[in-house]
Amino acid sequence: MSFSVHGIAVSSGVAIGRAVLVASSRLDVAHYLVEPDQVQFEITRLRSARDTVVAEIGKVQTSLHELTDKEGYLELSALLDVHRMLLQDEQLTDGVKQWILDRRYNAEWALTSQLDVVARQFDEMEDPYLRERKGDLEQVVERMLRVMRGVASPVSQPPVPSRPTSQDLLLDDTVDVPLVLVAHDLSPADMLQFKQSVFAGFVTDVGGKTSHTAIVARSMDIPAVVGARSASQIVRQDDWVIIDGDAGVLIVDPSPIMLAEYGFKQRQSEVERQRLNRLRNTPALTLDGQKIELLANIERPADAAGALRVGAVGVGLFRSEFLFMGRQGNLPDEEEQFRTYKATVEAMEGLPVTIRTVDVGADKPLDRSSRGGDDHLNPALGLRAIRWSLAEPTMFLSQLRAILRASAFGPVHLLIPMLAHVSEIRQTLAFVDRARGQLNARGQAYGTVKVGAMIEVPAAALMVDVFLRYFDFLSIGTNDLIQYTLAIDRVDESVAHLYDPMHPAVLELMARTIAAGHAQGKPVSVCGELAGDVQMTRLLLGLGLRSFSMHPSQILAVKQQVLRSDTAKLKPIAEAALRAEEPARALEALR
Ligand code: PEP
Ligand code: MG
């Protein structure tokens, strides 16, 4: 029977496919499809992992009597017998084989998929003793995964998925069916790991519209819904699902009529996409001849190609922190960073690249084990972004040197996140000078680098004139500016309805920042998610904004808005909105 789950729409489009449930603890398991001629190899890998674990258990059992007394021996030996039985249980082994044969999942993915199926059956058991055996099952699977990690699959690169087409709607059971990932939570680093994966859509139980997980999903231009509360508990492995990334809905077990309807919608958005593609080389000029700069937000050098494909005139935000995340404390050194920044600069073929210094903390923890919120009272207000960099001078200097060195290969701007105090500004600029001095001493080349500040804390917006004294340009981080102005955690779906870019206080802070920049002849851009929201383009133009930085996937749609806008007409409307108690109403005229 079909039913739907409502969440928050974060990345538009429709995905139709089979659900793949991934438990948070299993996100690091490789997920890729194997070629038909590798199926047998995967089955063999699995079998030998199982035999190895059975043998390990046997060895432990024979040495048990040396380690414990008779009573303990009997108890532990019985437990190990259970583990051995579970490993050889047909439901587990046959089920895993089926995932490999039918869906061509790699061995690890097949094993965790079947674990999910069997674990749910354990959960439903009435006998508490049997129910508790789920823990044992998880243990043996964990052991097999550990063994398999030592024997990697011959497939090193996961195949890049093609965008599912309406043809994929056919409810056949071929291996080419699109797959939709359903998880309780995905960290931004997890999401990044799935960037070139087989998934056609994402659903998570938690998260907000501007959480970094949502931001990465948007950058992949794949339909996604977050904050879908209990989706990962009610969807089962391999269920047919539809993600409506515009309405924020997940439909489970859709009827044929729904499938036809969403198939049509999918085809329509494909047509729209192709139509927008024609704007790629059209200059971004308003009807009254204002030149608008449309820049890209990217996370990795590989994203530069996508930015160029849609005609971005540069990178307005390179989120360098993605290079630092998920590395178990093994942070990238100067050389590794330099190579990454240089590769980005070269990939942009002479267009400017704005590299932001590391912004970890809050919902971008360095490692999954230190997820934001678990070990801090209020991570969004804690040691994040520039605060962390200033607390780690060696790391900060090596990043600054790496960025400066990359500027010898093309135009680079340096952007500093989360500044709020003049003392932080002075310290930061002193570090930049020191990094230059160190490069001079080493005789290493660097170019002229403009230094800018993010305006994302209300304090910074309120003292914007002071910021302009120190910096060459400003970039408004609306995601955080809204979070901190309205005291709403951007990752908390329970307060997502209060996350309001049209709040008069937010508009006021943005307007004064843009106006102050203009007054001093210094560029101001917006690089938060608002810049890529077509509903906001006219308002931002009316407020005087001329530079927008967003995910490449949004650039052409925003350009279309720009081409249809007349800034002279928009200015008075935006000014009226600024004076209004309820700006959203005043802005209805804009739509
Ligand atoms: C912002 O806060 O708007 C921004 C662009 O930075 P991030 O989303 O990475 O915090
Ligand atoms: Mg920010």
Side-chain angles (χ1 to χ4, degrees):
M1 197 188 61
S2 60
F3 60 93
S4 44
V5 185
H6 290 255
I8 300 168
V10 293
S11 185
S12 70
V14 170
I16 304 174
R18 287 200 180 269
V20 172
L21 282 148
V22 182
S24 300
S25 55
R26 310 253 172 252
L27 285 167
D28 54 350
V29 167
H31 295 83
Y32 54 88
L33 301 176
V34 296
E35 294 299 325
D37 59 358
Q38 281 155 348
V39 161
Q40 208 43 52
F41 181 83
E42 291 303 285
I43 293 176
T44 310
R45 227 156 54 86
L46 198 74
R47 201 174 291 138
S48 78
R50 186 197 58 190
D51 294 347
T52 307
V53 176
V54 169
E56 274 174 15
I57 291 176
K59 251 195 242 158
V60 173
Q61 240 168 348
T62 44
S63 58
L64 261 186
H65 59 276
E66 290 161 20
L67 304 170
T68 175
D69 57 18
K70 186 154 183 265
E71 221 170 278
Y73 171 80
L74 290 176
E75 203 179 321
L76 284 172
S77 181
L79 196 69
L80 291 173
D81 279 338
V82 171
H83 281 200
R84 213 187 342 218
M85 264 162 48
L86 285 170
L87 276 168
Q88 283 156 340
D89 178 65
E90 281 179 9
Q91 222 197 338
L92 183 70
T93 48
D94 290 358
V96 180
K97 237 196 286 176
Q98 233 40 57
W99 289 111
I100 301 176
L101 289 168
D102 294 349
R103 298 258 174 268
R104 293 215 210 114
Y105 288 5
N106 61 303
E108 292 88 343
W109 183 1
L111 182 59
T112 52
S113 296
Q114 188 59 16
L115 168 68
D116 183 76
V117 171
V118 183
R120 281 186 190 219
Q121 290 166 1
F122 274 106
D123 282 340
E124 280 158 19
M125 286 175 184
E126 293 205 344
D127 182 334
Y129 172 79
L130 290 177
R131 231 180 11 243
E132 278 166 26
R133 298 291 61 83
K134 184 176 111 173
D136 295 298
L137 180 70
E138 285 169 342
Q139 276 181 31
V140 295
V141 166
E142 192 50 57
R143 289 182 87 133
M144 280 179 71
L145 287 171
R146 224 176 303 141
V147 171
M148 276 192 281
R149 246 171 247 148
V151 190
S153 170
V155 182
S156 53
Q157 276 298 314
V160 181
S162 56
R163 177 168 279 275
T165 68
S166 54
Q167 301 304 314
D168 299 321
L169 289 179
L170 299 171
L171 279 180
D172 63 5
D173 264 349
T174 65
V175 291
D176 296 324
V177 168
L179 301 171
V180 168
L181 185 88
V182 182
H184 174 68
D185 191 9
L186 288 172
S187 73
D190 294 330
M191 199 59 150
L192 201 68
Q193 171 203 319
F194 289 124
K195 208 155 182 167
Q196 277 188 307
S197 69
V198 292
F199 299 111
F202 294 88
V203 178
T204 59
D205 294 348
V206 298
K209 199 173 176 83
T210 56
S211 64
H212 285 91
T213 301
I215 289 174
V216 182
R218 240 183 325 272
S219 80
M220 294 158 78
D221 198 15
I222 284 180
V225 173
V226 301
R229 306 286 168 114
S230 51
S232 73
Q233 273 156 42
I234 50 186
V235 177
R236 284 162 311 167
Q237 224 30 289
D238 224 31
D239 274 349
W240 274 97
V241 292
I242 297 176
I243 297 182
D244 181 340
D246 299 290
V249 178
L250 170 74
I251 300 168
V252 185
D253 199 9
S255 66
I257 293 177
M258 284 171 174
L259 280 170
E261 197 181 302
Y262 277 97
F264 177 68
K265 212 172 156 191
Q266 214 177 21
R267 284 191 295 278
Q268 267 187 328
S269 48
E270 193 47 45
V271 170
E272 173 65 7
R273 182 185 295 272
Q274 282 166 10
R275 208 173 53 76
L276 282 177
N277 271 340
R278 293 194 215 123
L279 299 180
R280 183 190 175 282
N281 296 315
T282 309
L285 288 177
T286 61
L287 292 172
D288 54 329
Q290 295 282 324
K291 193 169 168 208
I292 308 300
E293 187 179 46
L294 300 181
L295 302 159
N297 289 357
I298 64 171
E299 281 94 34
R300 313 169 309 164
D303 300 335
L308 290 178
R309 250 196 319 275
V310 291
V313 296
V315 169
L317 174 64
F318 178 91
R319 285 184 164 97
S320 69
E321 53 275 14
F322 283 88
L323 190 59
F324 288 67
M325 282 150 49
R327 315 206 14 157
Q328 283 81 39
N330 186 16
L331 299 184
D333 62 10
E334 181 182 332
E335 284 313 305
E336 182 183 344
Q337 289 189 62
F338 165 63
R339 282 195 301 275
T340 305
Y341 305 145
K342 175 173 175 268
T344 312
V345 169
E346 288 179 339
M348 286 307 290
E349 301 173 353
L351 295 171
V353 177
T354 308
I355 303 175
R356 181 174 72 180
T357 58
V358 61
D359 179 6
V360 289
D363 72 324
K364 285 181 288 193
L366 278 176
D367 286 307
R368 193 178 292 136
S369 57
S370 60
R371 254 173 153 63
D374 287 356
D375 43 10
H376 291 285
L377 288 177
N378 201 336
L381 302 182
L383 193 69
R384 113 169 236 209
I386 190 64
R387 302 170 180 184
W388 185 67
S389 295
L390 293 175
E392 298 280 342
T394 311
M395 180 288 302
F396 192 36
L397 276 168
S398 72
Q399 177 167 44
L400 291 173
R401 284 192 304 268
I403 295 173
L404 289 170
R405 284 171 59 194
S407 71
F409 299 86
V412 169
H413 305 324
L414 176 66
L415 182 60
I416 314 294
M418 272 280 286
L419 288 162
H421 301 262
V422 177
S423 58
E424 288 170 333
I425 297 177
R426 293 209 188 107
Q427 279 183 69
T428 302
L429 296 179
F431 271 115
V432 177
D433 279 347
R434 213 159 119 201
R436 284 195 182 108
Q438 289 171 336
L439 293 180
N440 291 340
R442 287 188 200 163
Q444 277 175 322
Y446 56 90
T448 310
V449 171
K450 293 211 166 91
V451 185
M454 291 206 56
I455 302 293
E456 49 185 354
V457 179
L462 291 170
M463 54 186 279
V464 62
D465 288 325
V466 177
F467 272 64
L468 284 163
R469 255 179 249 151
Y470 289 91
F471 291 102
D472 303 312
F473 68 97
L474 301 177
S475 189
I476 309 178
T478 47
N479 305 336
D480 279 316
L481 188 61
I482 300 171
Q483 154 165 275
Y484 295 127
T485 306
L486 302 181
I488 291 157
D489 191 332
R490 61 196 267 193
V491 292
D492 185 348
E493 68 278 5
S494 66
V495 288
H497 60 292
L498 296 172
Y499 194 93
D500 180 11
M502 297 282 200
H503 190 290
V506 173
L507 291 188
E508 169 68 26
L509 294 176
M510 286 198 291
R512 66 183 289 147
T513 305
I514 296 167
H518 285 186
Q520 303 216 16
K522 294 196 175 173
V524 177
S525 71
V526 168
C527 64
E529 296 301 294
L530 280 198
D533 181 347
V534 289
Q535 307 282 343
M536 297 297 290
T537 312
R538 285 158 180 261
L539 170 64
L540 294 172
L541 287 170
L543 291 178
L545 190 75
R546 297 294 178 263
S547 174
F548 297 64
S549 191
M550 69 201 86
H551 289 301
S553 62
Q554 289 304 108
I555 285 185
L556 293 173
V558 170
K559 192 189 270 187
Q560 178 169 263
Q561 293 295 318
V562 167
L563 298 174
R564 293 173 179 170
S565 300
D566 182 335
T567 59
K569 287 190 187 148
L570 292 175
K571 191 164 179 268
I573 304 178
E575 280 166 0
L578 271 180
R579 291 191 301 271
E581 240 173 62
E582 286 185 87
R585 285 218 179 145
L587 287 169
E588 266 155 30
L590 287 179
R591 307 221 169 96

